[in-house]
Amino acid sequence: MKKLIVFFLLFSAGLNAQCFNLGADLSYINSVLANGGEYRDLNNNIVNPYSFFAQKGANMVRMRLFHTPQNITSNCGNVISANDINDVILGFTNAKSNGMKLNLAIHYGDYFNDPSTQKRPQAWDGLTGVALQNAIYNYTISVLQTLKNNNVTPDIVAIGNETTWGFIDDTNATNGWTWPEDASKFNSALSAVDDFNNSNATSIKKAIHFTDNTASWLAGLFSSQNITNYDIIGISFYPYWSNFTTLTQLGTLVNALKTTYNKDIMIFETGIPWTTSSSDGYTNIINSYGNFTYPITPIGQKQFFTDLVNTVYNAGGKGVLYWEPGWITSTFCDKWGQGSSYENLSFFNFSNNNSALPIFDVFDFCNGLSVSDNKYGDINLYPNPATDKVNFEGVENGTIVTVYDVFGRIILKSGIKSNSLSISELNSGVYSFVFYVQETKIIKKIIVN
């Protein structure tokens, strides 16, 4: 029997149980909205994307911060301002007002930094040694202070973005690691977060950020270079670029990192296509699942994301964030094009007025149950988690129970006998138990181990 332990815990109705950090990087949404983009729910009603993500169950929003993006010109010939500090404040304010936690990715550059590019901001050109370390320290403190002053202190701050082969370089393409200089850069920024926490009675967690293909090597390398003063290892896992052929390999990585370095492990970025079509002239970045064989359909996208989240939780991870599900087409221009090169990996169907896709259902795992439970709070299922059988309290014998899996498929339908139900044939996972009391639909969810 295939065993998958998932992360949904049973909570009373009305509680928004944040049992797992599950959310999205929404760094493009402000720009999309400002350039004519519209988001719709399943009924084609226009929605506020921040509110909609929260309503669907997302409990964390990640945003990237560029130092001075105004130094960069867009593909349309305009100065770029997206993802400067004011944009981050706007995004975080909207996220926080909708009850979501805040995850900040400081790129330590004027624009995108990633495995191939770790260019320092123009403001730091020519700085070396202690002068550069001081600039890093002071900038980090300044960013956190500005966010706190605007009532959006982040819960997590990542020092760098996908720093797999360098950090705060003086070259356009990353020039590789230079020790101990690069360790001093990281430790200056990490110390700044500590000092800010101590001075402001805050508890911001510190993260570093790798890719799945480099995480094992880099975690060991960082440890050998005395870069250990952090709380979280964030990982980018895109099937298209991954060397992995199974999610089991990702689970093994998460567990190994957690066990070896005693850090929390989170997926900071992931993305999977629901179509290979495009809605504009900006060429799609990704059109396949790489080594994985999931169908490129809305249901395939949902299935992969569900399996990914289950895998990370089962391995002891602390969360999964999707990059960037709100990047739909609009008149917005970035450095390389106008519109979106990622709309086929978004959470919105451009073939149907950007209506919400089924993948949103995955966010519901950490939410409370049906509001119907409020009326019948004396109905209980136990034990939870369960293995061989589920016992019922407050339900009459003979009541029909229908059991659904996370994809909404009916797995079992049976009458209750002796106030219990055998579940010995069910695979491990989260199941919804649906039955009716006085013509009212009652839903209870339970973990099967």
Side-chain angles (χ1 to χ4, degrees):
M1 180 183 295
K2 184 179 180 181
K3 294 290 184 180
L4 288 174
I5 299 174
V6 295
F7 62 84
F8 197 103
L9 302 179
L10 180 62
F11 287 84
S12 299
L15 294 179
N16 184 14
Q18 295 190 351
C19 57
F20 194 63
N21 291 313
L22 189 58
D25 186 309
L26 301 182
S27 297
Y28 271 118
I29 277 186
N30 294 338
S31 297
V32 169
L33 290 172
N35 285 273
E38 292 182 343
Y39 301 89
R40 298 176 185 268
D41 62 17
L42 287 170
N43 297 316
N44 267 306
N45 300 308
I46 294 176
V47 295
N48 177 298
Y50 293 100
S51 298
F52 190 68
F53 272 86
Q55 290 165 7
K56 299 302 286 186
N59 58 38
M60 178 173 284
V61 165
R62 179 177 183 253
M63 290 197 72
R64 60 179 169 267
L65 173 65
F66 300 146
H67 188 284
T68 311
Q70 290 80 3
N71 288 328
I72 309 299
T73 301
S74 77
N75 182 262
C76 299
N78 302 314
V79 170
I80 291 177
S81 61
N83 302 125
D84 65 5
I85 190 66
N86 294 319
D87 195 20
V88 170
I89 291 169
L90 175 61
F92 275 174
T93 299
N94 283 312
K96 184 177 179 179
S97 68
N98 282 283
M100 295 183 282
K101 292 179 284 187
L102 311 178
N103 185 321
L104 178 68
I106 305 180
H107 279 235
Y108 292 95
D110 287 336
Y111 207 52
F112 280 94
N113 278 336
D114 55 32
S116 63
T117 303
Q118 291 292 328
K119 183 71 170 67
R120 68 179 61 185
Q122 288 186 24
W124 299 350
D125 281 350
L127 297 182
T128 59
V130 174
L132 179 57
Q133 294 167 32
N134 289 340
I136 295 167
Y137 178 93
N138 292 332
Y139 172 66
T140 305
I141 291 282
S142 174
V143 165
L144 298 179
Q145 190 64 59
T146 299
L147 295 177
K148 183 176 185 295
N149 291 345
N150 284 274
N151 199 32
V152 286
T153 303
D155 298 280
I156 296 171
V157 59
I159 304 305
N161 183 76
E162 296 180 333
T163 54
T164 63
W165 194 241
F167 185 53
I168 310 181
D169 293 335
D170 57 1
T171 57
N172 287 322
T174 184
N175 55 13
W177 297 113
T178 302
W179 308 112
E181 289 84 355
D182 284 331
S184 297
K185 297 173 191 176
F186 273 102
N187 286 326
S188 293
L190 293 166
S191 295
V193 181
D194 285 339
D195 291 347
F196 182 86
N197 280 336
N198 291 334
S199 298
N200 292 275
T202 52
S203 55
I204 303 168
K205 289 193 173 183
K206 308 179 296 288
I208 54 177
H209 183 189
F210 305 139
T211 63
D212 63 302
N213 296 326
T214 60
S216 292
W217 164 60
L218 286 169
L221 179 62
F222 274 36
S223 180
S224 71
Q225 295 297 326
N226 198 32
I227 307 171
T228 59
N229 178 29
Y230 60 88
D231 308 293
I232 299 168
I233 298 175
I235 299 171
S236 287
F237 171 65
Y238 293 92
Y240 179 77
W241 286 301
S242 178
N243 294 331
F244 293 157
T245 58
T246 68
L247 285 173
T248 300
Q249 292 171 291
L250 177 65
T252 299
L253 171 66
V254 170
N255 184 260
L257 292 173
K258 175 179 180 292
T259 302
T260 303
Y261 300 101
N262 194 29
K263 307 293 184 182
D264 288 342
I265 312 300
M266 292 179 63
I267 302 300
F268 274 179
E269 297 185 22
T270 191
I272 48 258
W274 57 270
T275 181
T276 58
S277 298
S278 177
S279 63
D280 54 33
Y282 198 167
T283 303
N284 292 347
I285 300 172
I286 296 173
N287 279 312
S288 85
Y289 279 80
N291 295 320
F292 293 81
T293 57
Y294 287 74
I296 303 179
T297 65
I299 295 301
Q301 183 193 45
K302 174 184 173 179
Q303 182 178 350
F304 185 91
F305 193 42
T306 300
D307 291 348
L308 169 61
V309 170
N310 288 341
T311 298
V312 173
Y313 184 83
N314 185 40
K318 292 296 185 180
V320 176
L321 305 177
Y322 193 104
W323 193 96
E324 206 287 12
W327 189 13
I328 60 174
T329 194
S330 67
T331 60
F332 171 65
C333 279
D334 64 10
K335 182 178 179 180
W336 302 282
Q338 182 177 42
S340 174
S341 60
Y342 204 79
E343 74 271 47
N344 66 316
L345 286 82
S346 77
F347 281 15
F348 298 91
N349 188 342
F350 58 78
S351 300
N352 189 26
N353 297 319
N354 287 323
S355 59
L357 287 162
I359 192 171
F360 268 109
D361 293 343
V362 182
F363 286 147
D364 193 48
F365 283 0
C366 277
N367 274 350
L369 305 183
S370 168
V371 293
S372 300
D373 287 345
N374 283 329
K375 187 176 179 180
Y376 296 97
D378 57 341
I379 295 175
N380 295 306
L381 279 65
Y382 67 95
N384 186 36
T387 302
D388 297 319
K389 71 176 182 177
V390 174
N391 300 308
F392 300 89
E393 290 181 346
V395 182
E396 294 181 357
N397 278 340
T399 300
I400 301 298
V401 176
T402 306
V403 181
Y404 296 82
D405 68 6
V406 294
F407 296 107
R409 298 174 296 203
I410 296 176
I411 303 300
L412 176 65
K413 188 172 185 179
S414 178
I416 296 174
K417 297 179 181 179
S418 301
N419 292 318
S420 66
L421 180 69
S422 173
I423 57 170
S424 59
E425 297 302 314
L426 297 184
N427 290 340
S428 295
V430 172
Y431 294 87
S432 297
F433 286 67
V434 179
F435 47 95
Y436 289 85
V437 176
Q438 299 178 13
E439 298 183 352
T440 299
K441 182 179 181 181
I442 310 297
I443 303 174
K444 294 288 183 178
K445 294 191 179 182
I446 198 166
I447 298 172
V448 175
N449 283 343

